[in-house]
């Protein structure tokens, strides 16, 4: 499949986008941008985190990532080469603004809190079981990142795809934290890392 490498630079004039990037889970910026571009190419709005960090903008942000989705490639190829960066920034602002103006109001704060506590506790248990593993720190960081991205995406999908609060709560109660963690660890530590719980 043909892929295109995209370079994106956020300068000090893009303080809003940098503040948004800084509020995302660690190392999730390029994945979130890719997801926004896929949704944009499909004529949809991506459900994303939309808060802004209050941290000071110290320097430009430079990011690079590959795009393989053919619809996104068609979208980008339809934009004049020198205008692509500005077009991508405009798309990001559009999706952020839509999520801020139409946030999901269906998620139970108590239920979400319980899910996050359960996730943190079980991730810590799995981390303790990885003592002595080669490249343990890097694999743990990647496992936490993969697990958090999947968790946030699942919660956002439950919120945006539900008809009412009860429907959303049912979706969140079906959320399988063990399965998310197992997939994250298997992807980074290998199949032997998967526990026997809720596979």
């Amino acid at each position: 499949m043909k892929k295109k490498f995209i370079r994106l630079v956020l300068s000090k004039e893009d303080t809003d986008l940098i503040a948004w990037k800084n509020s995302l889970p660690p190392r999730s910026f390029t994945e979130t941008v890719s997801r926004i571009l896929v949704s944009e190419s499909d004529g949809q709005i991506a459900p994303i985190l939309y808060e802004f960090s209050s941290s000071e903008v110290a320097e430009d942000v430079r990011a690079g990532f590959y795009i393989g989705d053919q619809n996104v490639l068609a979208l980008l190829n339809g934009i004049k080469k020198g205008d692509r960066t500005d077009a991508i920034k405009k798309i990001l602002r559009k999706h952020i603004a839509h999520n801020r103006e139409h946030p999901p109001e269906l998620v139970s704060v108590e239920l979400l809190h319980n899910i996050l506590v359960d996730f943190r506790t079980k991730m810590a248990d799995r981390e303790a079981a990885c003592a002595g593993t080669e490249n343990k720190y890097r694999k743990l960081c990647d496992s936490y990142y993969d697990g958090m991205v999947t968790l946030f995406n699942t919660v956002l999908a439950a919120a945006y795809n539900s008809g009412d609060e009860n429907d959303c709560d049912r979706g969140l109660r079906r959320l399988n934290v063990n399965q998310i963690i197992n997939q994250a660890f298997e992807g980074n530590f290998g199949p032997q890392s998967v526990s026997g719980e809720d596979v």
Side-chain angles (χ1 to χ4, degrees), residues 18 22 53-59:
I18 295 174
N22 290 342
S53 167
S54 59
S55 58
E56 205 171 298
V57 175
E59 57 187 21

Side-chain angles (χ1 to χ4, degrees), residues 143-192:
S143 296
Y144 269 96
Y145 166 72
D146 293 344
M148 284 299 293
V149 167
T150 301
L151 183 69
F152 274 103
N153 287 345
T154 304
V155 170
L156 286 169
Y160 278 93
N161 296 328
S162 300
D164 57 37
E165 188 173 345
N166 291 331
D167 189 26
C168 180
D169 285 354
R170 280 192 295 273
L172 291 179
R173 286 192 179 96
R174 288 194 298 268
L175 190 151
N176 192 328
V177 170
N178 286 319
Q179 186 177 50
I180 290 172
I181 293 173
N182 282 343
Q183 288 173 348
F185 271 81
E186 181 176 7
N188 293 288
F189 285 89
Q192 71 277 6

Side-chain angles (χ1 to χ4, degrees), residues 95-116:
H95 286 247
I96 294 167
H98 188 278
N99 278 273
R100 287 180 68 83
E101 291 164 11
H102 307 283
E105 299 176 352
L106 306 173
V107 178
S108 161
V109 174
E110 181 180 359
L111 186 53
L112 181 58
H113 171 76
N114 292 341
I115 289 170
L116 292 174

Side-chain angles (χ1 to χ4, degrees), residues 39-112:
S39 295
E40 178 70 18
S41 69
D42 289 338
Q44 305 292 323
I45 295 292
I48 56 170
L49 298 173
Y50 52 85
E51 296 299 331
F52 290 100
S53 167
S54 59
S55 58
E56 205 171 298
V57 175
E59 57 187 21
D60 293 353
V61 171
R62 299 177 186 278
F65 51 97
Y66 284 96
I67 292 289
D69 185 280
Q70 297 305 303
N71 291 335
V72 175
L73 290 175
L75 172 70
L76 295 177
N77 287 334
I79 301 169
K80 187 178 174 183
K81 190 172 183 181
D83 297 335
R84 284 183 188 151
T85 296
D86 287 339
I88 291 173
K89 291 177 185 179
K90 185 176 179 181
I91 290 169
L92 296 181
R93 288 186 172 103
K94 169 185 165 183
H95 286 247
I96 294 167
H98 188 278
N99 278 273
R100 287 180 68 83
E101 291 164 11
H102 307 283
E105 299 176 352
L106 306 173
V107 178
S108 161
V109 174
E110 181 180 359
L111 186 53
L112 181 58

